[in-house]
Amino acid sequence: MASQGPLSPSVGTDVSFSGAFFNWSTPGNITAQDNTYATDTAIGDPAAQNIVSLVKGGTVSGSNLSTGATIPATDTDTYTSFGGTSNLWGLTLAVADVNASNFGWVASLAHAGSITHYLQATGFGFTIPTGATINGVLAEVDWSGGSGTHHVDHMRLTVYYTPVGGLLLRRRKAVLGW
């Protein structure tokens, strides 16, 4: 299996959805782990994961992989991970889907009875080879919160795939004992 990533997004946006009340200021700050933050405008602690989903074709899609866990109170420059090498988030993903500029993922927080908008990361610039099989997607976020303010420093993605001919070559090696 091969992989590309982790890659950083080129675009971070605040996206409203039904039931969400609070926006993210400076969402473009999620493109690098550099202690410049996207910050939510809600007040209240603790903050917990609400929705964590992929964006396919520009639309929030697939399974919500949020565990509902509380986000760290302080920024430790460590990532919380979702998905993995064989997790397709309840979706069928083609190479064209992950190579598209509108492929990415979203995260939303819940706290004090309120929900934040999606913080959306897209424009990862994947160049998965045509004909490959997508096996899984790993999303990672460096986020923190405390004293009523919640931050996201960085969001990133890794895509795992089997290259064209990769499975056939492994089968040949197994049969021939290479």
Side-chain angles (χ1 to χ4, degrees):
M1 183 179 333
S3 66
Q4 277 189 20
L7 296 181
S8 297
S10 61
V11 179
T13 51
D14 172 81
V15 179
S16 179
F17 66 96
S18 180
F21 297 104
F22 295 98
N23 68 328
W24 290 92
S25 63
T26 60
N29 286 346
I30 64 168
T31 60
Q33 188 180 35
D34 58 3
N35 294 322
T36 59
Y37 305 102
T39 305
D40 76 6
T41 59
I43 301 297
D45 290 317
Q49 303 169 17
N50 180 49
I51 297 171
V52 176
S53 294
L54 290 182
V55 175
K56 177 182 173 183
T59 302
V60 176
S61 305
S63 300
N64 175 5
L65 298 190
S66 166
T67 65
T70 301
I71 64 169
T74 58
D75 184 15
T76 59
D77 287 332
T78 58
Y79 290 91
T80 302
S81 300
F82 304 92
T85 59
S86 60
N87 191 324
L88 293 172
W89 303 58
L91 296 169
T92 300
L93 295 172
V95 169
D97 295 325
V98 300
N99 286 348
S101 63
N102 61 358
F103 177 73
W105 69 291
V106 296
S108 171
L109 299 177
H111 47 89
S114 299
I115 298 171
T116 65
H117 292 178
Y118 292 131
L119 182 55
Q120 180 173 285
T122 56
F124 286 89
F126 286 104
T127 56
I128 308 295
T130 301
T133 301
I134 306 301
N135 302 111
V137 179
L138 174 67
E140 298 173 289
V141 60
D142 176 7
W143 53 13
S144 60
S147 301
T149 303
H150 309 97
H151 307 283
V152 174
D153 187 8
H154 189 224
M155 295 172 75
R156 63 188 188 185
L157 277 179
T158 302
V159 173
Y160 299 90
Y161 64 96
T162 302
V164 177
L167 183 58
L168 181 58
L169 181 58
R170 282 198 308 272
R171 285 184 182 157
R172 283 184 187 157
K173 286 180 178 179
V175 169
L176 298 174
W178 292 350

